[in-house]
Amino acid sequence: MIATRPPGFEQLLDVLEDAEEPLTAREILSRLQERDVEAFETPYRVATVLGQIAERGGPVDVVEGSPYRYRLVA
């Protein structure tokens, strides 16, 4: 089975790459909207996709807290 990437996946990773510190899903969504990326409509969707990436061993680290924050890992 081939895993598919959601629309906006690369832009999502680009936002994390450009960030100097971990960001909340709401902050990530705001930065995506500033870049005219309309693939994610809510912070919940951003968080869901990032959580799935992290669970699959992808380059995203979830920083637990309230709210969760996300960062790109090398």
Side-chain angles (χ1 to χ4, degrees), residues 3-39:
T4 59
R5 293 180 173 176
F9 177 84
E10 294 299 328
Q11 293 91 336
L12 186 63
L13 295 183
D14 287 345
V15 166
L16 291 176
E17 185 175 9
D18 292 345
E20 295 179 11
E21 61 187 16
L23 300 172
T24 67
R26 185 172 305 281
E27 292 168 332
I28 294 166
L29 180 61
S30 175
R31 292 181 187 199
L32 286 168
Q33 291 171 339
E34 289 172 3
R35 297 174 185 209
D36 294 323
V37 176
E38 298 177 4

